[in-house]
């Protein structure tokens, strides 16, 4: 029981006996809870992302050594050195961040990674080996399925590391270690800045494991950190072009179905872009890896179903161009999310949302932003309740 009155806060058990509680101060200010001139919290939170990436990186990386200082997580380095596999468990947007994290961990730390929906994992006869690091990702730290999966895995793996935005949450308390994302309060139900903060945290974990397991030398780590530190500025450039996304949203307002395509590290971004559109505008959107298009979704393509194709100049660029040709051959309309240096893409598609170039592995930080803005502007123009979409909750504490 808790009694809050002007004299203070008192905790008791159900019989009235006082309970002592530890006080923890949050660094969040009341100003952070205000819209500050933005029409919706979601738009404000999209615009806060460059700062969130800076804050989540701050104090944790060293450009001199290429090192990541993660002593704060509370899992001994000796344990991390022995990790041979990782399982990332999450729900919703956090699951999509986990899919990006898999690519980070596999590329940098060279350890195999499974990404699991918490609601599925917990009811399976799952197998965890002692050298497995379980990473639970949850902005709220209270999602019932993720918490249950954490509790079920706790004694069956090397350690459970939580990535969360919520201090003293159940997930933060129950995990062996915690890496906090510094996203600040997120009021909009549809997650935006917590997603980029989670990807930042997962990249830090990947870099740290790569360091302790000697998978990347210092020069490679320093080069990656340098690239990472340029990301917030590039995000700001994208935000400076928000009007172009808004205009495109007006143009595509009449459509009721969208297909999102991406490959490799941008496939999870396609999933996240489609999820944002569904959540806040109630428009049907599906996301597929480009290579799977021929196994079904291509049957849906016609002039009434536009495709958002994520096509940065990376290792799967040519493959995405093939997907684009296949869609064009079926009278499909295409919006490409492409590098601003890619002059040739314009003649192949109907509209381009340009993003700055970056290390291909870091492109999700950039490609997700126009998709968040696109979903936002479509929903706002439809007059939807952007911050409180129907049937959804910010924190899902029940099954
Ligand atoms: C809810 C929220 C989503 C979130 C998901 C997982 O559905 O509306 O935005 O991605 O829960 O939440 P978590 O707090 O575990 O990240």
């Amino acid at each position: 029981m808790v009694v809050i009155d002007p004299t203070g806060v008192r905790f008791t058990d159900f019989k009235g006996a006082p309970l002592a509680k530890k006080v923890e101060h949050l660094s969040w200010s009341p100003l952070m809870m205000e819209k500050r001139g933005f029409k919706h919290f979601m738009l404000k939170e999209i615009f806060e992302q460059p700062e969130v990436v800076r804050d989540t990186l701050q104090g944790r990386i060293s450009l001199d050594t290429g090192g990541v200082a993660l002593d704060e997580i509370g899992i001994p380095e000796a344990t991390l050195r022995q990790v041979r596999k990782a399982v990332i468990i999450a729900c919703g947007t956090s699951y999509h961040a986990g899919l990006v994290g898999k690519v980070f961990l596999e590329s940098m730390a060279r350890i195999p990674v499974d990404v699991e929906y918490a609601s599925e994992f917990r009811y399976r006869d799952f197998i965890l080996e002692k050298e497995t690091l379980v990473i639970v990702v949850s902005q709220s730290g209270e999602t019932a399925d993720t918490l249950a999966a954490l509790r079920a895995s706790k004694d069956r793996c090397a350690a459970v590391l939580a990535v969360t935005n919520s201090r003293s949450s159940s997930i933060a308390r129950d995990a062996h270690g915690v890496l906090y994302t510094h996203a600040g309060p997120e009021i909009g139900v549809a997650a935006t800045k917590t997603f980029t903060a989670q990807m930042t945290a997962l990249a830090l974990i990947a870099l740290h494991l790569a360091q302790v397991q000697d998978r990347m030398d210092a020069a490679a780590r320093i080069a990656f950190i340098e690239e990472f530190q340029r990301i917030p500025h590039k995000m700001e450039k994208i935000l400076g072009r928000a009007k172009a996304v808004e205009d495109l949203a007006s143009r595509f307002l009449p459509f009721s179905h969208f297909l999102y395509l991406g490959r490799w590290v941008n496939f999870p971004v396609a999933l996240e872009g489609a999820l944002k559109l569904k959540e806040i505008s109630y428009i049907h959107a599906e996301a597929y890896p480009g290579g799977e298009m021929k196994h079904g979704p291509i049957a849906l393509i016609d002039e009434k179903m536009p495709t958002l194709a994520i096509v940065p100049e990376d290792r799967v660029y040519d493959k995405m161009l093939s997907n684009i040709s296949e869609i064009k051959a079926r009278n499909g309309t295409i919006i490409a999310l492409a590098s601003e240096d890619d002059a040739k893409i314009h003649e192949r598609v109907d509209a381009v949302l340009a993003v700055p170039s970056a290390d291909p592995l870091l492109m999700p930080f950039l490609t997700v932003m126009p998709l968040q803005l696109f979903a936002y502007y479509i929903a706002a123009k439809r007059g939807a309740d952007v911050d409180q979409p129907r049937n959804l909750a910010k924190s899902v504490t029940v099954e």
Side-chain angles (χ1 to χ4, degrees):
M1 301 288 286
V2 57
V3 179
I4 305 173
D5 65 20
T7 63
V9 182
R10 290 180 306 282
F11 295 90
T12 68
D13 64 16
F14 286 107
K15 290 186 186 131
L19 288 178
K21 290 274 171 187
K22 199 171 132 241
V23 174
E24 187 151 346
H25 289 277
L26 297 180
S27 55
W28 297 356
S29 72
L31 200 67
M32 290 164 108
M33 310 281 193
E34 288 169 19
K35 283 191 199 152
R36 294 155 82 181
F38 286 92
K39 192 166 169 215
H40 294 100
F41 280 110
M42 182 179 174
L43 189 60
K44 183 192 87 152
E45 288 156 5
I46 291 172
F47 272 76
E48 282 172 348
Q49 291 180 104
E51 213 44 49
V52 163
V53 173
R54 277 191 196 104
D55 288 349
T56 303
L57 286 177
Q58 201 178 20
R60 289 167 166 167
I61 44 173
S62 158
L63 256 187
D64 299 329
T65 62
V68 188
L70 288 188
D71 301 342
E72 62 183 291
I73 65 175
I75 295 176
E77 201 173 299
T79 307
L80 295 179
R81 227 176 282 127
Q82 279 156 20
V83 164
R84 292 289 164 265
K85 184 182 170 176
V87 176
I88 301 177
I89 306 174
C91 306
T93 289
S94 301
Y95 174 82
H96 297 156
L99 291 175
V100 177
K102 171 185 168 81
V103 181
F104 290 160
L105 280 159
E106 289 182 349
S107 301
M108 295 197 263
R110 305 295 298 137
I111 55 169
V113 182
D114 288 337
V115 188
E116 301 271 2
Y117 284 119
S119 54
E120 285 295 309
F121 181 82
R122 62 182 291 197
Y123 290 115
R124 287 214 317 271
D125 300 320
F126 62 82
I127 299 164
L128 284 176
E129 274 135 22
K130 266 293 172 199
E131 301 83 31
T132 301
L133 175 68
V134 170
I135 305 174
V136 288
V137 186
S138 170
Q139 51 85 24
S140 67
E142 298 295 348
T143 302
D145 283 320
T146 311
L147 183 59
L150 181 171
R151 288 180 175 155
S153 352
K154 214 171 159 181
D155 300 323
R156 297 167 62 174
C157 61
V160 179
L161 170 58
V163 171
T164 182
N165 199 43
S166 185
R167 278 184 191 274
S168 309
S169 58
S170 306
I171 286 176
R173 276 201 306 268
D174 274 29
H176 296 116
V178 187
L179 182 58
Y180 287 105
T181 51
H182 295 167
E186 188 176 65
I187 314 282
V189 165
T192 51
K193 61 175 178 168
T194 51
F195 176 71
T196 30
Q198 288 166 346
M199 291 197 296
T200 309
L202 289 164
L204 287 174
I205 295 168
L207 202 57
H208 189 56
L209 281 174
Q211 181 186 354
V212 299
Q213 299 209 1
D214 251 336
R215 301 293 183 157
M216 270 168 95
D217 62 23
R221 293 195 316 264
I222 290 170
F224 183 79
I225 291 173
E226 277 173 352
E227 266 292 305
F228 212 156
Q229 287 186 321
R230 289 189 202 112
I231 288 291
H233 178 61
K234 293 178 183 182
M235 294 171 109
E236 279 157 5
K237 277 179 88 177
I238 295 171
L239 293 171
R241 298 175 193 147
K243 181 73 177 60
V245 187
E246 184 174 3
D247 292 346
L248 202 69
S250 302
R251 194 171 140 196
F252 283 85
L253 210 50
F255 292 90
S256 318
H257 307 275
F258 285 84
L259 178 64
Y260 285 65
L261 289 184
R263 286 178 184 244
W264 184 51
V265 74
N266 284 294
F267 164 55
V269 177
L271 287 169
E272 179 58 11
L275 178 65
K276 289 291 88 97
L277 193 66
K278 282 182 273 206
E279 284 181 309
I280 58 169
S281 71
Y282 319 134
I283 289 175
H284 168 226
E286 334 207 358
Y288 268 86
E292 279 294 301
M293 193 181 78
K294 56 186 174 292
H295 299 297
I298 197 163
L300 296 170
I301 300 292
D302 61 15
E303 61 289 344
K304 293 204 206 86
M305 188 169 194
T307 301
L308 279 112
I310 310 174
V311 213
E313 291 171 297
D314 59 12
R315 60 169 81 171
V316 286
Y317 178 69
D318 290 338
K319 301 291 162 196
M320 284 302 300
L321 289 186
S322 308
N323 287 135
I324 286 173
S325 307
E326 287 154 9
I327 295 167
K328 277 274 123 207
R330 284 155 187 88
N331 290 327
T333 307
I334 297 168
I335 304 169
L337 254 125
S339 154
E340 62 192 11
D341 305 320
D342 186 353
K344 285 192 305 214
I345 193 77
H346 294 260
E347 63 207 35
R348 294 171 177 268
V349 299
D350 301 275
V352 176
L353 288 170
V355 295
S357 300
D359 180 321
L361 214 48
L362 293 169
M363 283 307 283
F365 289 93
L366 307 181
T367 52
V368 77
M369 296 184 75
L371 298 184
Q372 294 168 338
L373 287 168
F374 185 74
Y376 169 76
Y377 286 120
I378 294 234
K381 284 172 196 296
R382 284 165 66 103
D385 188 351
V386 172
D387 288 331
Q388 299 283 327
R390 69 185 184 202
N391 308 342
L392 298 177
K394 185 80 197 151
S395 182
V396 184
T397 53
V398 290
E399 267 194 64

